Amino acid sequence: MKVSGSSWVGFATDDFDRSLRFFRDVMGLDIWVEGDRQAILKTTSGQQLEIFGSGNRDQLKAAPAVGFEVDDLDAATEELRAAGVELMSEKGSWNGFAWQYFRSPDGHIFVIKSSPR
């Protein structure tokens, strides 16, 4: 597996609008993609911050998850599986993004992902 960097951090919130305003207006992040109670914001160097409203990715309420960008999500998922890593649910996709949640050996949630160019 070849990881090109940590490109994404995601978290869930009970107050989507307040969180979106904070990261957009106070932190100065640009909204890149916005959906139903979900938004991806970008830093000037391209890292992504994804905010999930209530009912979306509730497992991320305890702590944000970090996503590692990979070139080939299918191959990277198979490498994790072959290494005995616990994969969480099925691979997901939306609007050209694709991801696979997994647990590190100490139980923390991480993500491998690919983004549209």
Side-chain angles (χ1 to χ4, degrees):
M1 176 184 327
K2 181 99 172 152
V3 173
S4 60
S6 59
S7 64
W8 176 92
V9 174
F11 72 96
T13 178
D14 288 327
D15 194 334
F16 174 82
D17 295 325
R18 181 183 65 191
S19 292
L20 182 62
R21 281 192 309 273
F22 172 78
F23 285 101
R24 181 192 62 211
D25 301 342
V26 176
M27 298 297 293
L29 302 180
D30 293 323
I31 296 175
W32 185 31
V33 180
E34 190 170 1
D36 183 30
R37 314 296 298 157
Q38 178 178 345
I40 302 172
L41 296 92
K42 276 185 133 178
T43 67
T44 56
S45 59
Q47 287 88 9
Q48 303 161 23
L49 173 71
E50 189 161 9
I51 304 169
F52 299 99
S54 294
N56 293 320
R57 306 287 192 281
D58 285 333
Q59 73 269 27
L60 300 181
K61 282 188 180 166
V66 175
F68 296 100
E69 194 76 20
V70 296
D71 289 335
D72 186 336
L73 184 68
D74 291 331
T77 298
E78 289 309 312
E79 287 184 50
L80 291 176
R81 183 176 282 119
V85 173
E86 178 188 352
L87 302 176
M88 301 174 62
S89 68
E90 297 297 315
K91 287 183 282 187
S93 63
W94 173 76
N95 255 18
F97 298 91
W99 60 87
Q100 174 66 62
Y101 284 90
F102 67 95
R103 287 193 189 274
S104 68
D106 58 359
H108 294 292
I109 297 172
F110 288 92
V111 183
I112 50 175
K113 62 180 289 299
S114 60
S115 301
R117 300 289 169 209

